[in-house]
Amino acid sequence: MITLDQPACSASEIAKQLTGRNYLSWSAVSSYLKCPLRYQFHYLDQLPEAFVSSNLVFGSAVHASLEAFFREQLVARQSLGIDALMAVYHETWIATDLANVRFGKDESLIGHEQLAQRMFRAFLDSQVSRPDGSILGIEEQLQAPVIDGCPDLQARIDLMIEHPDSLVVTDFKTSRSRWSENDATASEGQLLIYHELVRELANKPVRLQFAVITKTKEPTIELKSIVPESQKIERIRRLIQNVWLGIKSGVFYPVPNVMNCPTCGYRDRCSRWVG
């Protein structure tokens, strides 16, 4: 068995021993950036959360429906309607332990269902549901060594569309409100990493975009393009190197935050943490 103090132990092998995964995902990196202690509880200690936010389940259900929509386009060359999308949405909730789901103020199963219907109708009415080009991948999983000294990076790409002159990578997001350019910039690290994984396979330029569906009374769908500038890519590479250094060195601490703590399933455990 390889131990962490052996010089021959690669970063991916260390990650495997620490977390059971021989890679870093953007979700893991983002989790560490938001709260290193939450990262430890979830990825290293693999502790169950006391509850899961209903918004997290809702987002997963919407993503599952969109995945089914594009798979039907790819396989059967036809589109699912609102009833079929809602059927997939319901399957996600049926598979969820509702006793472990925490609803926020003014949230309910019925409210989420009505919101999902409005969002799907907006999606079906938008050009996003009728992409130009050929569908190349749906929930495509890629993994490769990208950054020196770090484990492999892994991506699960929502949608890849091939055009004659480019490959378009799209990640779907649900949001309480429309995104500003600052919102897109704050999230661009995810797509920049996807770019680094995809560009090794693509024989043409890679374009990046978020498709943002708002969870509002009248949902909107907007595309936010991310330009993979070399300076931005180098910055995100350095950031991930520092995150990995913190993980490997055992640097874990809480980051109290009024936005994240109320919906964190480790909140009580965190309050008892003394280092």
Side-chain angles (χ1 to χ4, degrees), residues 38-220:
R38 175 179 170 80
Y39 175 93
Q40 178 187 335
F41 288 158
H42 183 76
Y43 289 95
L44 271 65
D45 301 337
Q46 299 181 16
L47 300 172
E49 297 188 55
F51 62 86
V52 61
S53 166
S54 65
N55 282 314
L56 184 60
V57 182
F58 178 84
S60 297
V62 170
H63 269 79
S65 299
L66 296 180
E67 176 186 351
F69 178 88
F70 287 111
R71 287 200 185 281
E72 188 71 8
Q73 282 195 344
L74 176 63
V75 175
R77 298 293 191 270
Q78 61 185 18
S79 297
L80 299 178
I82 186 69
D83 290 341
L85 289 173
M86 288 304 300
V88 178
Y89 171 88
H90 287 137
E91 288 174 3
T92 301
W93 280 97
I94 291 171
T96 302
D97 180 7
L98 291 180
N100 197 43
V101 176
R102 178 169 293 183
F103 291 87
K105 183 181 179 181
D106 299 326
E107 291 180 348
S108 66
L109 273 175
I110 294 177
H112 279 312
E113 180 177 359
Q114 293 171 342
L115 174 58
Q117 289 177 334
R118 297 198 303 272
M119 291 171 69
F120 290 146
R121 289 194 180 98
F123 167 75
L124 292 173
D125 289 341
S126 74
Q127 187 61 42
V128 177
S129 68
R130 301 180 294 277
D132 295 328
S134 303
I135 297 177
L136 191 62
I138 303 162
E139 291 293 323
E140 193 71 27
Q141 184 170 294
L142 301 178
Q143 180 175 327
V146 173
I147 302 174
D148 290 342
C150 291
D152 288 359
L153 294 183
Q154 187 187 88
R156 194 172 184 87
I157 300 173
D158 289 348
L159 183 66
M160 290 196 292
I161 302 290
E162 187 173 28
H163 295 260
D165 61 345
S166 63
L167 182 64
V168 180
V169 171
T170 302
D171 188 79
F172 287 90
K173 298 293 187 187
T174 58
S175 174
R176 291 183 179 275
S177 59
R178 298 174 70 167
W179 273 20
S180 66
E181 291 306 315
N182 287 337
D183 292 322
T185 299
S187 299
E188 67 183 5
Q190 177 183 4
L191 286 184
L192 293 175
I193 289 303
Y194 287 7
H195 176 271
E196 294 301 276
L197 285 164
V198 172
R199 74 184 180 91
E200 299 297 330
L201 304 175
N203 57 1
K204 56 186 64 177
V206 178
R207 292 194 285 129
L208 311 170
Q209 62 182 21
F210 289 110
V212 185
I213 310 177
T214 60
K215 300 187 291 184
T216 50
K217 185 176 181 179
E218 295 183 3
T220 61

